[in-house]
Amino acid sequence: MQLAWERDVYETLSLIEFNCLVQLAITGHMKKAQLAMGLSKDDAVKIMQKLHDLFLIRVEDRDFPMLPELERALISIGVKRRVGPVFGSPKAPDAYRILKQKYMFVFPEIPLCPFIEKGAVEHLFSEPWHERYFLTCRADFVVCDFEGYPEFAVEYNGGQQTDRDELNRRILNEVGLPLRVMGRQDLQEANDN
């Protein structure tokens, strides 16, 4: 758990997973966190399991102990915010600042379906969840030209890749929209310059 905290494992979490971790720190109880987040029981269990697998919490009966310093930091985040951030991960604001130094029109957490026609990519939907996911999937950042047309998408890669990330890549590739990946090293290099 200490190693997971020191290595910023929490950066790999989606916004909803991160907010659930904050609610767990505040409430200390799965059911209360689930209600605060408006999650189904199945979704809450999946998130709790992921947090446990990443060594951010321990699952002991109905309590979810975590490192005291992580708990204090997360409670502080939860108390300060009444609304969630527009960024999908805790390090995404750093990636946004780097992109804004180079490009004028950078938009965070942009849904793909408003500017990609479903008919152009629906042949990629081979699993039952693919179509539903397309209607809600987002790019971490989209860089646009002066008229608002996307030039390329940017993915902030804070950790492991998922089937959903792969589907995003395939959708963007199908419509000819380049995908650039930023990671921790890019943030470090920008901070060093």
Side-chain angles (χ1 to χ4, degrees), residues 57-103:
I57 62 171
R58 288 188 306 269
V59 178
E60 297 176 358
D61 298 322
R62 293 182 179 260
D63 295 326
F64 299 90
M66 60 182 72
L67 283 174
E69 54 264 50
L70 174 60
E71 187 173 25
R72 281 193 299 275
L74 294 170
I75 288 172
S76 173
I77 288 168
V79 168
K80 288 179 185 174
R81 295 193 180 135
R82 297 265 181 198
V83 296
V86 296
F87 298 105
S89 72
K91 288 291 184 180
D94 296 332
Y96 177 76
R97 284 188 279 281
I98 291 167
L99 289 168
K100 281 299 284 180
Q101 289 173 359
K102 293 178 82 173
Y103 306 103

Side-chain angles (χ1 to χ4, degrees), residues 130-187:
H130 286 175
E131 183 175 357
R132 288 188 313 272
Y133 178 69
F134 171 72
L135 298 174
T136 61
C137 68
R138 299 173 178 274
D140 291 341
F141 303 100
V142 174
V143 175
C144 294
D145 65 14
F146 287 103
E147 295 177 351
Y149 287 93
E151 291 185 342
F152 61 92
V154 177
E155 175 184 316
Y156 174 72
N157 182 0
Q160 63 192 20
Q161 296 299 294
T162 66
D163 291 342
R164 293 172 184 220
D165 295 328
E166 179 57 31
L167 183 57
N168 269 12
R169 276 194 193 91
R170 289 175 45 215
I171 289 169
L172 293 169
N173 186 50
E174 185 65 26
V175 296
L177 192 61
L179 176 66
R180 298 181 184 172
V181 178
M182 288 182 74
R184 272 188 217 199
Q185 186 174 352
D186 298 301
L187 297 181

Side-chain angles (χ1 to χ4, degrees), residues 91-138:
K91 288 291 184 180
D94 296 332
Y96 177 76
R97 284 188 279 281
I98 291 167
L99 289 168
K100 281 299 284 180
Q101 289 173 359
K102 293 178 82 173
Y103 306 103
M104 182 174 277
F105 300 106
V106 179
F107 302 97
E109 293 294 320
I110 296 296
L112 299 183
C113 68
F115 63 89
I116 296 178
E117 291 183 27
K118 180 181 165 190
V121 295
E122 65 187 343
H123 64 278
L124 299 174
F125 305 159
S126 59
E127 299 288 332
W129 60 270
H130 286 175
E131 183 175 357
R132 288 188 313 272
Y133 178 69
F134 171 72
L135 298 174
T136 61
C137 68
R138 299 173 178 274

